[in-house]
Amino acid sequence: MRAIRIHEFGEPEVMEVVEIPGPEPGPGQVVVRVHAAGVNPVDTYLRSGLYTITPPLPYTPGADAGGEVEAVGEGVTGLSPGDRVYTAGALSGTYAEKTLCAEKQVFPLPEKISFAQGAALGIPYGTAHRALFHRAKAREGETVLIHGASGGVGIAAIQFAKAAGLVVIGTAGSEEGERLVADQGADHVLNHHDSGHLQAAHDLTQGRGLDIILEMLANVNLGHDLPVLDRGGRVVVIGSRGTVEITPRDLMTRDADVLGMSLVNLSDDDRASIHSAIREGLETGSLRPVVSRELPLAQAIEAHHAVIESSTHGKIVLVP
Ligand code: NAP
């Protein structure tokens, strides 16, 4: 089968398309025929070799995919060949025509959700749900600022938050991004490149302050987020690409919390509750993944440049 392979860490150009043998499922494993593979920022961090985790070389990148079950191993009872599925994690990488998964990494994909949309679910929707409900313990009627709402995680967070009855303020960095955030149902849209946008977010709460901030770029924003929180406010650090200075008194005076999160830390129960919420949202229509670009597998290099360097307007997926 055709697959992207990485033989050494480095720039996007280390990725190449190669022919390798297709995977065979062992006990408890599932082979998924990939129709679309999601491109996530973490794929680029892993490829660089500078992340906290370094995969053993050579490897095929990718955790998210939409596709169909090709074969199941002994003991797999919940899935059968031909089932439409999405993956949230993979044993052999999803930037390939087929990927090998543990059964617990594979979930049913409703008919009305395309394979490309299925490739936008695992990491983005898993992260958004984890941040809002497991970490921030979001409640109906609260106000959430999604700081970076135009990307994969941000769009998922808008949809989950609106379905749960929160007031949503979303930010983007371009006009197209702002339109997308509004279209997803955000009550208010701001541009994170405007210097007054956090004061504007504070003003939108009638001066009370924000209950929750989901932060996609903490190294830039965290120090400025804390003064616009309400008492008891929570910031969930989802993304960060460096260090940041904060004023601890901003937390003390508000009894506020800064919460970290990494999907790597999910227990099996956490994963089950997240994917049951995703399934329900897909079925009711409250969750609608947005795919901005579908690129052929051979353009993985371009996809990695784009996910880090360009303004975001939804998800980039690779089509094998
Ligand atoms: P993405 O699709 O590339 O989106 C990035 C988002 O960040 C866009 O909305 C972008 O807006 C926004 N952004 C850019 N500059 C910003 C600024 N100064 N302030 C606020 N937002 C800004 O990435 P993603 O998949 O949504 O992931 C978002 C971040 O979370 C990434 O850093 C990723 O690595 C991280 N993440 C962490 C976990 C975890 O387990 N902790 C899981 C998934 C993702 P514009 O492009 O419109 O400017």
Side-chain angles (χ1 to χ4, degrees):
M1 67 169 184
R2 286 165 65 250
I4 296 289
R5 261 341 227 177
I6 293 178
H7 289 89
E8 57 175 332
F9 298 118
E11 297 298 315
E13 288 68 24
V14 297
M15 291 187 288
E16 52 184 0
V17 183
V18 297
E19 273 294 328
I20 55 172
E24 296 292 334
Q29 296 177 341
V30 178
V31 172
V32 175
R33 175 166 287 279
V34 176
H35 291 297
V39 176
N40 286 290
V42 70
D43 303 339
T44 73
Y45 314 151
L46 290 164
R47 186 215 67 232
S48 74
L50 304 172
Y51 195 49
T52 41
I53 308 163
T54 46
L57 294 168
Y59 78 99
T60 295
D64 290 349
E68 289 167 284
V69 173
E70 169 100 358
V72 298
E74 197 189 314
V76 172
T77 51
L79 294 162
S80 310
D83 287 354
R84 298 177 94 253
V85 291
Y86 70 93
T87 70
L91 301 171
S92 70
T94 57
Y95 291 17
E97 289 178 316
K98 295 178 195 176
T99 188
L100 181 69
C101 299
E103 185 179 11
K104 68 180 182 185
Q105 296 172 317
V106 183
F107 302 91
L109 185 67
E111 280 292 335
K112 64 181 173 185
I113 307 297
S114 70
F115 292 122
Q117 288 178 302
L121 287 169
I123 291 181
Y125 281 75
T127 302
H129 188 278
R130 175 78 169 166
L132 271 171
F133 303 114
H134 294 185
R135 302 298 285 139
K137 308 214 182 311
R139 294 181 294 269
E140 185 177 354
E142 288 192 312
T143 300
V144 57
L145 171 67
I146 303 173
H147 215 172
S150 50
V153 177
I155 290 169
I158 299 172
Q159 296 172 358
F160 270 126
K162 285 309 301 174
L166 281 87
V167 176
V168 174
I169 305 171
T171 76
S174 66
E175 272 183 31
E176 199 177 343
E178 287 179 56
R179 271 197 300 278
L180 175 62
V181 171
D183 288 348
Q184 295 315 305
D187 298 282
H188 308 281
V189 184
L190 300 169
N191 189 309
H192 42 241
H193 299 311
D194 289 346
S195 56
H197 76 280
L198 281 171
Q199 185 56 50
H202 188 265
D203 293 347
L204 285 167
T205 66
Q206 284 74 47
R208 206 173 34 82
L210 294 146
D211 299 302
I212 300 169
I213 300 179
L214 301 190
E215 185 50 67
M216 305 302 159
L217 202 56
N219 56 302
V220 172
N221 295 322
L222 188 60
H224 307 292
D225 288 340
L226 305 185
V228 297
L229 287 173
D230 192 6
R231 199 170 298 162
R234 296 87 79 197
V235 181
V236 185
V237 175
I238 297 175
S240 187
R241 294 179 183 168
T243 58
V244 63
E245 191 172 298
I246 65 162
T247 302
R249 190 170 295 276
D250 290 334
L251 290 168
M252 294 156 61
T253 53
R254 294 172 174 78
D255 279 15
D257 291 300
V258 177
L259 303 156
M261 70 147 285
S262 170
L263 271 191
V264 172
N265 298 327
L266 292 185
S267 67
D268 285 350
D269 284 351
D270 294 334
R271 186 177 295 106
S273 91
I274 285 170
H275 290 280
S276 110
I278 292 175
R279 182 177 193 159
E280 189 188 323
L282 293 174
E283 274 162 9
T284 63
S286 63
L287 303 182
R288 307 162 308 275
V290 177
V291 176
S292 62
R293 290 176 79 187
E294 295 187 37
L295 296 172
L297 189 64
Q299 288 181 29
I301 294 172
E302 183 181 336
H304 272 212
H305 279 294
V307 77
I308 292 298
E309 294 158 22
S310 313
S311 269
T312 318
H313 319 113
K315 196 78 206 156
I316 301 173
V317 304
L318 294 171
V319 180

